[in-house]
Amino acid sequence: MNSSPPLETPTTVDSIDTIAVIGAGSIGLAWSIVFASAGLRVRLYETDELKRRSALDETAMKLADMANAGLLDEPIATILDRISVCDSLEETLVGAGFVQECVVEDLAVKRALFAELDRLTSTHVVLASSTSTIMASRFAEDLPGRERCLVVHPANPPHFLRVAEIVPASFTSPEAIEISRNLLVRVDIAPILLDREIEGFAFNRLQGALLREAYCLVRDGVISAADIDTLVREGLGRRWSLIGPFTTSELNTRGGLRRHGELMGPVYARLGIERAHENPWTSETIERVARDVEGRLPHDSWEENVRERDRAMMQLSSLLKHFDNPLHDGATTPTDGYVTSTG
Ligand SMILES: NC(=O)c1ccc[n+]([C@@H]2O[C@H](COP(=O)([O-])OP(=O)(O)OC[C@H]3O[C@@H](n4cnc5c(N)ncnc54)[C@H](O)[C@@H]3O)[C@@H](O)[C@H]2O)c1
């Protein structure tokens, strides 16, 4: 992918037994659970002292919910024992074979932190950022150890949405990419490797495309925000949670994806032209949708609503845990029994 020199002491993923997680917000705690429940030691650091103090209790609460949903293979205490909260960045990095950064989405903060990480760790340690929007070339380009820096962007929350995007910069070494990919496989997260940096990566580009249309439809008074959520939750999302949009197209139309393209391609092309320069992210439309969404949530506090969401998703994960999805890997041939709409 590039001509950077290999990492000084190439690490195999099996030699990594400790992960440093930096930032104890939603993503940092979730990554800690992912690594610790796969048997790895986690050293966690957080600048906010209150959050540092509550990090283990909060993690224990999330683990208790997971245990209730039948998603843990070990006792909570065994998993929790593998996580230590440290009082300084230096202390956190001792013995760490991989760093997963999970601090606020702020370029200046990430830039300063990666400079410190590069200075404080030996050159074989991969430095990965959880960032949703900032490319590694923007926070690591000037670092002496930039070839070990990249983005490993999880779906939220990673302790039960088991997929993450690996986004290397042009200077990231093939070794750093390989270590990241192998580590994700080891902790049961499906690695999605992007060939190059692109704003929004792939996950948020897909999400953004759907949101753009949704905001346009609400703004234009075609449909309510609640009905958009229902359509996606009960329809598109339910299907996509099993087979994804391309396999959906293949199976939705007699004649498969090619026939779907013939039938729907021109329609989608017209819709694309119609929206080409639309920016529905106006404060007025956002406010209208936000009020609608807030009115439908069960609790007043964001944290309680997040916990409710997590419990619901765990229930679903629990139901699916032993579910052998017959549609994986294209193993099934479409038959007359399939829905034949072109939606
Ligand atoms: N929330 C999501 O949906 C989601 C999904 C994927 C990736 N991400 C990315 O993960 C990262 C963290 O997101 P989050 O939702 O957990 O945010 P959050 O606000 O919940 O947590 C960030 C934490 O980082 C701490 N922090 C700030 N500067 C620090 C530093 N220098 N050292 C140590 N700790 C520091 C903050 O005190 C805070 O507790 C962001 O880059 C975000 O874009 C978020």
Side-chain angles (χ1 to χ4, degrees):
M1 175 162 273
N2 62 61
S3 55
S4 305
L7 299 179
E8 196 175 77
T9 319
T11 306
T12 63
V13 79
D14 294 336
S15 68
I16 297 175
D17 59 12
T18 304
I19 311 289
V21 173
I22 317 297
S26 317
I27 297 296
L29 296 186
W31 270 125
S32 300
I33 290 174
V34 168
F35 294 128
S37 53
L40 290 154
R41 302 219 147 261
V42 173
R43 296 174 73 78
L44 180 60
Y45 178 62
E46 160 65 53
T47 42
D48 181 320
E49 198 185 333
L50 280 181
K51 284 191 173 176
R52 210 161 55 229
R53 282 210 214 122
S54 63
L56 284 181
D57 286 346
E58 247 196 84
T59 307
M61 228 159 63
K62 287 178 194 293
L63 285 168
D65 283 343
M66 289 181 80
N68 285 338
L71 288 173
L72 295 184
D73 295 329
E74 293 176 300
I76 295 171
T78 308
I79 297 170
L80 213 51
D81 256 7
R82 298 189 185 116
I83 305 175
S84 5
V85 180
C86 304
D87 286 329
S88 71
L89 188 61
E90 286 82 348
E91 187 193 339
T92 313
L93 298 169
V94 173
F98 189 98
V99 178
Q100 185 71 40
E101 170 272 310
C102 314
V103 307
V104 282
E105 190 75 341
D106 179 311
L107 176 59
V109 175
K110 298 220 192 256
R111 220 181 234 160
L113 178 60
F114 269 76
E116 281 292 273
L117 293 172
D118 191 35
R119 193 176 63 78
L120 293 169
T121 53
S122 75
T123 55
H124 68 275
V125 176
V126 173
L127 308 177
S129 172
S130 300
T131 177
S132 310
T133 58
I134 309 174
M135 293 178 269
S137 55
R138 300 192 65 209
F139 57 77
E141 184 149 50
D142 300 330
L143 301 179
R146 65 181 190 169
E147 72 278 357
R148 59 199 173 111
C149 299
L150 79 175
V151 168
V152 175
H153 170 237
N156 180 35
H159 52 310
F160 40 91
L161 279 185
R162 317 286 308 196
V163 67
E165 295 175 286
I166 299 175
V167 190
S170 59
F171 48 72
T172 307
S173 71
E175 287 81 2
I177 296 170
E178 206 44 32
I179 288 166
S180 306
R181 198 212 303 251
N182 290 338
L183 180 65
L184 290 179
V185 170
R186 182 171 163 194
V187 301
D188 197 24
I189 299 261
I192 305 294
L193 176 61
L194 270 58
D195 198 41
R196 64 184 171 86
E197 291 188 317
I198 181 167
E199 187 173 14
F201 314 139
F203 191 97
N204 277 321
R205 280 189 165 249
L206 292 171
Q207 187 157 248
L210 187 84
L211 277 175
R212 185 180 310 110
E213 185 60 35
Y215 271 116
C216 283
L217 290 170
V218 171
R219 178 199 60 191
D220 298 345
V222 176
I223 185 172
S224 69
D227 282 351
I228 290 272
D229 273 353
T230 305
L231 269 180
V232 176
R233 187 187 65 237
E234 300 298 325
L236 291 167
R238 183 71 62 88
R239 266 195 324 217
W240 288 344
S241 75
L242 293 175
I243 51 175
F246 286 139
T247 310
T248 298
S249 301
E250 168 67 21
L251 300 182
N252 258 14
T253 310
R254 197 180 304 280
L257 197 133
R258 289 180 193 81
R259 181 69 185 137
H260 180 267
E262 283 169 15
L263 287 171
M264 294 301 287
V267 181
Y268 286 143
R270 280 202 301 279
L271 302 185
I273 290 165
E274 190 188 312
R275 298 296 191 210
H277 299 292
E278 295 256 27
N279 174 15
W281 271 270
T282 60
S283 48
E284 192 194 1
T285 311
I286 292 170
E287 186 54 35
R288 185 167 151 195
V289 173
R291 264 190 266 115
D292 180 290
V293 171
E294 283 157 11
R296 285 184 281 125
L297 286 169
H299 305 289
D300 289 337
S301 94
W302 180 84
E303 284 78 9
E304 260 308 293
N305 285 321
V306 168
R307 192 145 189 240
E308 206 71 78
R309 175 206 65 186
D310 286 2
R311 288 198 199 104
M313 287 174 68
M314 284 173 204
Q315 290 292 324
L316 183 63
S317 306
S318 178
L319 288 173
L320 293 175
K321 199 173 175 191
H322 301 293
F323 177 56
D324 187 13
N325 185 347
L327 294 165
H328 268 179
D329 303 318
T332 310
T333 311
T335 70
D336 284 347
Y338 281 93
V339 181
T340 54
S341 83
T342 51

